[in-house]
Amino acid sequence: MTDAGLRYGRASLGLSFGVQGVAFALLVTRIPAIQDQYGISDGLLPVFLAAVPILAGAGSVATEKVVARVRPGVVLRWAQPLVLLALLGVGAGRELWHVAVALGVFGLAVGALDASMNMLGVSLQRAYGRSIMLGFHAAYSLGGIAGASLAWVGARWDLSLFVSYLPVVVVLLPAALAGSRWYTEGKGPAEEAGSGGGGAGEGLSFKLLLPLCLVMTFAYIGDSTVSNWSAKYLQDVLGSSEQLATVPYNVYMVTTLLGRAVGDLGVRRFGAVAVVRGGSLLAAGGFAVVALAPGAWVGMLGFTMLGFGLCVIVPQTFAAAGRMFPENSDAAVARLNIFNYVGFLIGSPLVGALGDAWSYRGAMLVPMGLVLVTLVYARAFGPDPARYGGGHERARTADVG
């Protein structure tokens, strides 16, 4: 693979991450409008919301099987347009079954998209020989900010979902298809000749992957806590105005972008283990500040800390899986990606149940504790993850070899 080919592959994959950030933000930030358009009751809404990550997990499982026969770039090339068309379908429908089908397609395609994007990212990072994964996820954060801003414009001008979504899809779909011409896995000729051989998941020890799966779950429990509860917490617990309550999530997204934009430099300078440990401590400190905050502005400081802390963990978890199973990184990434959705499904109901039964301040201490567990597994992010936990190197050699 030439240097120019790697640069083009990196740029095109960054574009895909950005496009996905826009699409996902346009969906989740317009949930109230989707509910109104289709007359979805408050009781039925959680079913629809839970179905998307569940189906995304199924899509990630299917992708593990598919990439045993075709390259991840092929999966990504077709999954991304499907996500955008499904988003447009959400905006175009009128009957309840219309949105059910559109969200179902969206969920399955997102699972395939997330898995294949991170497979390519891990492969490119291996080819570059230095940390670049955080940069891809920074592009996703930037796309999320753009998508949320576009959603605000649509809501501000009272545009229908279809009118809001159509221009975005018309612009991004051909751009994504054009960029897909340069997808590359960053593999050498010998590796490319061997791609597609063997069964999916051959030689992949789930026992060794489990620490990273737990870290991924805990990180997304923290992320979903911010996404779903920051506005309510600031308004109901810390007494902010309704307008000020919308600020923490925006601040969180901006700090996530900034943290990921410089995170690769931190990994190259200090190593992945130190960056993950630092991020975990900063995120835990953010939850502690939120739980103890006397007022809204201190609470926003806590959410700012959370953005800088959590943003480094997920990209480095994917990268660590690639290092742990270099001969089978695609399958490792696909399985790890499932726990993204597990954390998303658990986080919001967990905090809500604890808040109702106990207190929302106390509920914030639970994701804090879970994020701190990452410190126990931090050595799995090192350059020799086979030695993590002691005595696993022989097991990994047997599994992978």
Side-chain angles (χ1 to χ4, degrees):
M1 177 61 62
T2 65
D3 290 344
L6 288 176
R7 287 196 299 271
Y8 286 139
R10 184 178 180 181
S12 63
L13 186 58
L15 174 63
S16 289
F17 270 89
V19 169
Q20 172 58 0
V22 173
F24 194 76
L26 280 171
L27 179 74
V28 298
T29 55
R30 297 303 306 272
I31 285 174
I34 294 170
Q35 186 178 10
D36 291 342
Q37 178 167 314
Y38 291 96
I40 302 172
S41 67
D42 290 339
L44 190 58
L45 182 62
V47 176
F48 279 86
L49 298 182
V52 173
I54 290 172
L55 289 170
S60 188
V61 171
T63 300
E64 178 188 343
K65 307 298 182 183
V66 172
V67 296
R69 293 170 174 80
V70 301
R71 294 178 178 177
V74 176
V75 177
L76 178 55
R77 181 174 294 117
W78 296 108
Q80 189 140 59
L82 197 56
V83 166
L84 292 169
L85 291 174
L87 177 69
L88 190 60
V90 170
R94 288 294 177 265
E95 303 293 332
L96 198 60
W97 71 267
H98 294 164
V99 71
V101 171
L103 287 176
V105 173
F106 187 93
L108 288 169
V110 159
L113 178 64
D114 287 347
S116 57
M117 280 198 310
N118 283 290
M119 288 173 187
L120 290 176
V122 166
S123 180
L124 279 171
Q125 175 165 293
R126 185 162 56 241
Y128 266 82
R130 65 179 189 271
S131 179
I132 60 172
M133 277 294 288
L134 281 154
F136 294 130
H137 286 259
Y140 178 89
S141 297
L142 181 61
I145 293 170
S149 300
L150 290 169
W152 179 86
V153 170
R156 173 69 177 81
W157 293 97
D158 199 24
L159 302 177
S160 71
L161 289 172
F162 183 75
V163 172
S164 295
Y165 291 164
L166 181 60
V168 177
V169 174
V170 166
V171 171
L172 294 185
L173 195 151
L177 284 173
S180 70
R181 295 172 53 197
W182 291 283
Y183 291 154
T184 179
E185 297 176 56
K187 293 182 177 180
E191 291 175 292
E192 288 184 353
S195 66
E202 275 187 11
L204 196 157
S205 169
F206 184 72
K207 181 180 179 181
L208 292 180
L209 190 63
L210 182 59
L212 298 180
C213 296
L214 293 175
V215 170
M216 180 72 78
T217 302
F218 298 156
Y220 269 97
I221 287 174
D223 181 83
S224 66
T225 298
V226 179
S227 302
N228 292 289
W229 293 104
S230 58
K232 180 177 176 62
Y233 188 88
L234 216 71
Q235 188 171 353
D236 294 355
V237 178
L238 300 184
S240 78
S241 66
E242 184 177 355
Q243 291 76 19
L244 188 61
T246 65
V247 173
Y249 184 67
N250 290 329
V251 170
Y252 174 76
M253 289 298 295
V254 171
T255 53
T256 295
L257 170 63
L258 295 175
R260 287 172 172 173
V262 301
D264 283 321
L265 296 176
V267 173
R268 296 169 200 166
R269 176 67 178 84
F270 302 107
V273 173
V275 168
V276 169
R277 282 176 174 160
S280 301
L281 289 171
L282 189 58
F287 275 118
V289 170
V290 169
L292 300 174
W297 289 102
V298 176
M300 283 203 292
L301 171 63
F303 286 116
T304 301
M305 293 170 63
L306 279 168
F308 281 119
L310 289 175
C311 71
V312 300
I313 297 176
V314 171
Q316 286 307 305
T317 306
F318 281 120
R323 287 191 296 271
M324 186 174 288
F325 299 98
E327 298 88 348
N328 210 353
S329 62
D330 289 347
V333 168
R335 294 189 190 181
L336 183 62
N337 187 56
I338 297 169
F339 291 84
N340 157 356
Y341 311 117
V342 172
F344 190 84
L345 277 171
I346 292 174
S348 181
L350 175 65
V351 171
L354 289 171
D356 291 339
W358 180 23
S359 76
Y360 282 98
R361 287 186 183 272
M364 291 294 163
L365 299 177
V366 175
M368 180 193 78
L370 294 176
V371 169
L372 283 173
V373 174
T374 300
L375 297 175
V376 178
Y377 300 127
R379 284 179 295 166
F381 292 81
D384 188 13
R387 295 186 182 275
Y388 166 73
H392 287 317
E393 186 176 43
R394 182 179 302 171
R396 177 180 175 273
T397 302
D399 284 337
V400 176

